[in-house]
Amino acid sequence: MTDFLLALIGAALVSNLVLGLPLAADGLREARTRMLGPAGAAIILLAAPLGWLVDQLLRTLSLAHLYLFLFLPLLAALGWAIQAMVVRLRPSEAQPDLWSLLIGIGLGAMLLARSLEHLAAVLALGIGGGLGFWLVMQLFSDLLARLERCDVPARLRGVPMTLFAAGLMSLAFMGFSGLGVAWAR
């Protein structure tokens, strides 16, 4: 039980999937974050255990080399279904181009889950990683909105300030690095 809790905390706070994925940097504006946060959380929640189960099945059949060929079409269908579900739940905030971002996020979660040994740790990665993704997307969106209202020197506006903000945010999340040691085993 403690392994499950440590893996949950570790996935949500330590090994956060947003700050390590360059594909998510495109969706950091407020309108997109309202859709990318819940959709990314859902795909991480579903892709991690599904990827682990597919990996375990292929290993028992001695077909582990077919992992990406089987999982990528499955991940594409999962990303499309999650985007359709989120659009159905919130039609006023539809973002039709989130599909490729969801596939990248799901691929990262799937590859992380593949290295774990127990289903409980994979489920904790899915839950904690999804909630952590949503948390960081929301925090970074709020930070960028505050920066747009601040008096920032002209040379630091845009990408330089975004990189400063991402660096400070990653340092803040590194403070939790001792909490997630158990799931890295």
Side-chain angles (χ1 to χ4, degrees):
M1 184 65 179
T2 59
D3 285 344
F4 178 79
L5 291 175
L6 288 174
L8 182 70
I9 292 170
L13 300 176
V14 179
S15 301
N16 203 287
L17 302 177
V18 173
L19 299 177
L21 288 176
L23 289 175
D26 180 39
L28 294 177
R29 292 291 163 217
E30 187 175 337
R32 295 195 64 178
T33 304
R34 282 193 298 257
M35 293 299 283
L36 186 59
I43 200 155
I44 291 169
L45 176 66
L46 296 174
L50 189 61
W52 186 81
L53 290 172
V54 168
D55 184 48
Q56 295 301 314
L57 176 69
L58 289 177
R59 284 184 190 195
T60 58
L61 298 173
S62 299
L63 297 172
H65 57 281
L66 296 176
Y67 182 70
L68 284 177
F69 290 113
L70 290 176
F71 195 74
L72 284 177
L74 185 62
L75 187 60
L78 187 63
W80 177 82
I82 287 174
Q83 181 178 351
M85 178 191 65
V86 172
V87 166
R88 180 170 284 183
L89 293 174
R90 295 182 180 176
S92 63
E93 299 175 2
Q95 296 285 328
D97 54 346
L98 290 182
W99 186 69
S100 60
L101 293 173
L102 291 176
I103 290 175
I105 293 164
L107 186 62
M110 174 213 45
L111 291 175
L112 276 174
R114 192 172 180 202
S115 65
L116 298 175
E117 295 180 17
H118 302 289
L119 183 60
V122 173
L123 291 173
L125 172 73
I127 295 168
L131 292 175
F133 181 85
W134 198 344
L135 172 72
V136 169
M137 289 301 292
Q138 200 59 42
L139 289 174
F140 206 70
S141 174
D142 292 344
L143 183 63
L144 289 177
R146 284 182 178 214
L147 285 174
E148 288 174 358
R149 292 189 304 261
C150 289
D151 186 26
V152 178
R155 291 187 181 256
L156 291 178
R157 286 190 192 126
V159 174
M161 189 53 74
T162 303
L163 289 175
F164 284 143
L168 289 174
M169 201 164 165
S170 66
L171 285 174
F173 275 92
M174 268 186 10
F176 296 112
S177 63
L179 296 175
V181 176
W183 87 277
R185 286 185 219 159

